[in-house]
Amino acid sequence: MTITDLRESDAHTYSFRFYTDHPDGRYSGRPGVTLSVTDLKVTVSDTDGGVKKLTCSSTCTLPNNPTYIWYRNGQPVSDQNRNELELRDRTVDAGSYSCAVKGYEELGSPAVCVFDKGLQVKVEGPAVTASEGQTVTLTCSSTCTLPNNPTYIWYRNGQPVSECESASCPVAVVSEAVSYSCAVRGSRLHSPPVYSPKTTRAVILPSGQIMEGDSVTLTCSSDANPPVLSYSWFNQSSDVELGTGQSYSITSISSQHSGLYYCTAQNQLGQSRSGPSRLDVLYSPRPPSVSETEVNGSVTLVCVSDSNPASSYTWFRKTRGNITQVGEEASLTLAAGADGVFYCMAENPYGSSTSSEWTLTSAGLWKQFAVWGTIGVGSALVLSLITAAVCLQRKRGAEGGADVQAPKCGDDTYSALNPNARSSDYDTLTVRDSASDTYSALNSTTRSSDYDTLTISCFPGCPSSPSDEKSSRERELTAVHLLFIHHCSFSSMDRTLKRRTEDF
């Protein structure tokens, strides 16, 4: 029997047995042969302060003053040639260790795991960023000596996973934080975790005040194992990807770049998103705009300017070349009757800007309305006086019988108004005798407001028959030019009073 790759675990007592064709023909060699393996081995002991002390020893006879070689994870440890090795840093020194004697490197000791880091999880998947739902493979491996046919235990976020007990397990890529680790049942070995990116942060540099026109760099950092494969940058207002890479730069920055920015970091296991970082661009006030509102007779002017930080406002009034400060708020309220030219100034620590001039005309309108009202009232009084005078004159004429003569039956042309002397304010209504000269009154319920009722009565002695003496005569009816006053404004309207009557 030949044993290859002899180990200390092969140390046993061996015997042989042979069989014959006789039913009881079984013979064994007693007491057998004892095999003792006296290979190099590494023992681990704890000392004060959490220091691990490793000792390389052998039961074999070694050369005088041998030189030892130490290996960490299969690689030689420099400047260490004694049979003892002390490890102090759990993070840096964790791994598997073995030793050998110089000149007999092929007879090295079995590896031992220190700081429980003998197992490692490897992620086997795409070298580029994987999408959510895709599958990657996790493999648990060790450089330390493991039991034959070990049983593996997998952990997800610190909790055992019962679906897999082999050295390799498939897992899905997720968009949330996730970690995996493995262990070997019956041993103290437990791997460090592999995990998707976490504690992802977006930092804006420089960190001080950022003025319009400056340049800034946004940097993304994240903790991940395996390392981050890709970074992406976004503006929170649109969630549209701005760029990729751990850094994102903006040159000649403007106010439009103000906002919240965040980054994402992704490796083979998943993705992590940072919290938002505010990019606050400072700039002087833009030219203000002025608006006007009127409520209950008073006028309010409002000044608005875009700036960062916010502006303070000052109002000014120009009167005959003089400029007077009249307010220190964004809005300025003026009583009815105020007039003049106004403008505002917006100011912050980085500059100021002045609005265009705003001419307030509300006072002028009030004056105009007052003038129109005065004219309207005066005109109404004048018209009333004229009407009274005409009535008085007619009354006197009727009483005296001398100024105005009553028309005769044979002369019903109403010549009281001289056609040659009347003004253009009078129109003539001519009525001729014919079979169709029957005029009926307009319907009072349907006529418009442009019509008034005119009643014409025949003088005593006039013929009652419409045909009497009408063929050779024309009657003239002169309509009055009426002046109407409405809503403090004037309009003239010639209303020809159309009335058809059977009296003609």
Side-chain angles (χ1 to χ4, degrees):
M1 182 179 68
T2 303
I3 301 176
T4 60
D5 192 17
L6 189 65
R7 300 283 181 177
E8 188 175 5
S9 58
D10 296 325
H12 290 289
T13 298
Y14 295 86
S15 61
F16 70 93
R17 175 182 293 176
F18 66 89
Y19 299 89
T20 68
D21 56 0
H22 191 277
D24 296 326
R26 294 183 302 174
Y27 300 93
S28 300
R30 301 282 183 186
V33 178
T34 300
L35 176 62
S36 297
V37 179
T38 57
D39 198 0
L40 289 174
K41 66 178 181 179
V42 176
T43 58
V44 181
S45 60
D46 294 326
T47 62
D48 296 339
V51 176
K52 298 286 187 179
K53 182 179 181 181
L54 279 59
T55 303
C56 183
S57 61
S58 175
T59 58
C60 298
T61 302
L62 299 176
N64 292 331
N65 299 320
T67 300
Y68 291 87
I69 303 174
W70 285 96
Y71 299 89
R72 177 179 178 270
N73 297 331
Q75 300 298 318
V77 179
S78 59
D79 300 328
Q80 297 293 333
N81 53 15
R82 297 173 56 247
N83 70 326
E84 292 181 350
L85 179 65
E86 291 185 351
L87 304 177
R88 301 177 181 275
D89 193 321
R90 176 178 293 273
T91 301
V92 175
D93 296 332
S96 64
Y97 289 82
S98 62
C99 66
V101 175
K102 190 174 182 179
Y104 303 91
E105 288 84 353
E106 71 280 3
L107 300 177
S109 72
V112 296
C113 295
V114 182
F115 295 122
D116 296 332
K117 299 293 184 180
L119 295 178
Q120 299 290 329
V121 177
K122 296 181 180 179
V123 181
E124 299 175 0
V128 295
T129 303
S131 301
E132 184 176 2
Q134 289 184 333
T135 300
V136 296
T137 300
L138 305 180
T139 300
C140 186
S141 62
S142 176
T143 57
C144 302
T145 302
L146 300 176
N148 292 330
N149 299 319
T151 299
Y152 292 87
I153 304 173
W154 285 94
Y155 297 86
R156 185 180 189 272
N157 295 333
Q159 300 300 317
V161 177
S162 59
E163 292 82 3
C164 183
E165 293 183 348
S166 62
S168 297
C169 285
V171 297
V173 177
V174 296
S175 60
E176 58 190 21
V178 65
S179 66
Y180 297 95
S181 61
C182 67
V184 173
R185 190 181 302 279
S187 74
R188 297 176 58 190
L189 299 178
H190 196 127
S191 74
V194 292
Y195 45 91
S196 61
K198 61 182 181 180
T199 61
T200 304
R201 296 177 62 244
V203 179
I204 299 176
L205 298 174
S207 58
Q209 292 183 343
I210 300 173
M211 295 295 299
E212 197 169 38
D214 291 346
S215 298
V216 297
T217 299
L218 286 69
T219 302
C220 189
S221 62
S222 184
D223 177 20
N225 183 26
V228 173
L229 288 176
S230 66
Y231 295 92
S232 298
W233 287 95
F234 301 87
N235 188 311
Q236 188 164 286
S237 62
S238 61
D239 289 329
V240 176
E241 183 178 291
L242 302 174
T244 58
Q246 191 169 6
S247 297
Y248 176 71
S249 297
I250 304 174
T251 58
S252 188
I253 202 167
S254 67
S255 59
Q256 285 80 10
H257 291 108
S258 293
L260 297 174
Y261 292 80
Y262 68 91
C263 64
T264 60
Q266 188 164 3
N267 66 1
Q268 295 96 322
L269 296 176
Q271 175 180 283
S272 173
R273 169 175 166 168
S274 73
S277 291
R278 179 176 296 278
L279 178 58
D280 194 21
V281 181
L282 305 176
Y283 52 96
S284 60
R286 304 291 191 254
S289 62
V290 177
S291 61
E292 176 184 339
T293 58
E294 182 176 351
V295 178
N296 297 328
S298 63
V299 175
T300 299
L301 302 179
V302 179
C303 184
V304 177
S305 175
D306 178 27
S307 65
N308 188 25
S311 296
S312 60
Y313 296 94
T314 306
W315 280 96
F316 298 92
R317 179 179 184 180
K318 292 178 64 177
T319 306
R320 298 185 182 90
N322 296 324
I323 298 177
T324 307
Q325 180 178 327
V326 292
E328 294 184 344
E329 300 290 340
S331 61
L332 177 66
T333 301
L334 301 169
D339 60 358
V341 177
F342 297 84
Y343 67 91
C344 66
M345 181 179 69
E347 186 176 13
N348 72 0
Y350 304 103
S352 62
S353 183
T354 302
S355 72
S356 300
E357 293 181 348
W358 186 272
T359 301
L360 192 61
T361 59
S362 59
L365 288 176
W366 284 110
K367 291 179 180 179
Q368 186 176 2
F369 290 158
V371 171
W372 285 354
T374 302
I375 294 175
V377 172
S379 300
L381 292 175
V382 171
L383 181 61
S384 299
L385 292 175
I386 293 174
T387 303
V390 170
C391 293
L392 182 60
Q393 183 179 3
R394 288 182 178 179
K395 182 177 180 181
R396 290 176 178 175
E399 293 175 352
D403 296 335
V404 179
Q405 297 181 358
K408 298 179 181 180
C409 293
D411 188 16
D412 53 359
T413 57
Y414 297 92
S415 58
L417 292 174
N418 187 349
N420 296 325
R422 71 170 181 263
S423 70
S424 60
D425 290 337
Y426 296 86
D427 293 330
T428 300
L429 173 65
T430 301
V431 182
R432 299 180 185 276
D433 292 329
S434 69
S436 61
D437 289 343
T438 299
Y439 297 85
S440 59
L442 292 175
N443 188 340
S444 61
T445 61
T446 61
R447 70 170 182 262
S448 71
S449 60
D450 290 339
Y451 293 89
D452 292 332
T453 300
L454 175 66
T455 302
I456 301 176
S457 300
C458 187
F459 290 94
C462 291
S464 60
S465 174
S467 61
D468 292 344
E469 300 179 3
K470 291 181 180 179
S471 60
S472 61
R473 293 187 300 274
E474 295 180 351
R475 296 187 181 101
E476 294 179 348
L477 179 63
T478 303
V480 182
H481 182 75
L482 301 178
L483 184 63
F484 291 86
I485 303 173
H486 182 60
H487 294 299
C488 298
S489 63
F490 300 96
S491 63
S492 63
M493 180 180 299
D494 291 331
R495 295 183 177 177
T496 301
L497 305 181
K498 302 177 181 178
R499 295 293 181 268
R500 296 180 178 182
T501 177
E502 294 180 355
D503 292 336
F504 286 97

